[in-house]
Amino acid sequence: MIPPTAPAVEFVRVTRTFEGGDQPVTALSDVSLTVPRGAVFGVVGESGAGKSTLLRMMNGLDHPTSGRVLFDGIDLSTLTKRELNAVRHRIGVVFQSFNLVGNLTVRDNIALPLRLQRGRGAEVSRRVAELVDFVGLGPRLDHYPAQLSGGEKQRVAIARALATHPTMLLCDEPTSALDTHTTGEILTLLGATRAEFGTSIVLVTHELDAVKRICDSAAIFEAGELRDIIAVEAQTGSRELSYVEHVRAELQR
């Protein structure tokens, strides 16, 4: 049973070390953070900062070397494979490269996770219709990915991620392949997702403007360490020129 006050995700002193080469590589080092339920939480960091490892742990695809990752109060590392698969149905993922199936239409791409769960025809059709309307792709329902623009592909990907009624959406650089105007549209759609469905959203991005636009707070990672968690609406300045201070100043401007 989910504790009523449990955060969407909680990392408790999480370290992840990978063996290999001459010496182990620490992707995350003693990370503790909380993603509040219903929040839009940004994760910012340069390449190699540990962001991908963080997302994989939130999705139960990887587990800590030490520490705990809790999803809705549940320690993911204690679950059986069947229990973990059930939890993953409550977690949607949106990728930078869209990851659509090329030989499936918009309709069938959105329906895919429901069919994998053996959803019934009428129920699947109803849910697809709801999501197509929500993301504004009705005229494209029977088109294939190759016939869509980048923004339209990402709308399909968001609709597909929402198909199973997830409580959390993990977004891995969802706007980095898009132009400025389309980026704004996708960010607006993500904001509407939180407002419409109460979905908790984790947004991993290099784009500070994206974080400033829709996130409530953002974690700054550097070389596997959590350097700071910033309230995005805060209004303070900084004269430091380090990466962490640069991010802090931008998000608090």
Side-chain angles (χ1 to χ4, degrees), residues 6-66:
V9 179
E10 185 175 7
F11 279 56
V12 183
R13 304 206 65 178
V14 168
T15 294
R16 181 63 170 106
T17 302
F18 295 96
E19 302 294 335
D22 296 332
Q23 58 184 6
V25 175
T26 299
L28 292 175
S29 178
D30 197 27
V31 172
S32 294
L33 62 80
T34 297
V35 178
R37 189 181 300 275
V40 181
F41 187 84
V43 178
V44 181
E46 297 177 317
S47 296
K51 305 186 301 298
S52 295
T53 301
L54 190 86
L55 276 192
R56 287 178 59 82
M57 289 188 178
M58 288 184 182
N59 201 21
L61 294 174
D62 194 10
H63 297 300
T65 304
S66 63

Side-chain angles (χ1 to χ4, degrees), residues 67-86:
R68 297 188 300 157
V69 178
L70 308 177
F71 172 74
D72 280 342
I74 303 168
D75 187 341
L76 296 180
S77 67
T78 66
L79 301 181
T80 65
K81 184 176 180 179
R82 183 174 182 177
E83 290 170 337
L84 188 56
N85 284 336

Side-chain angles (χ1 to χ4, degrees), residues 58-60 71 87-93 161 164 166-168 170:
M58 288 184 182
N59 201 21
F71 172 74
V87 167
R88 286 189 188 131
H89 293 159
R90 302 185 350 234
I91 303 172
V93 183
T164 59
T167 60
M168 185 170 70
L170 305 180

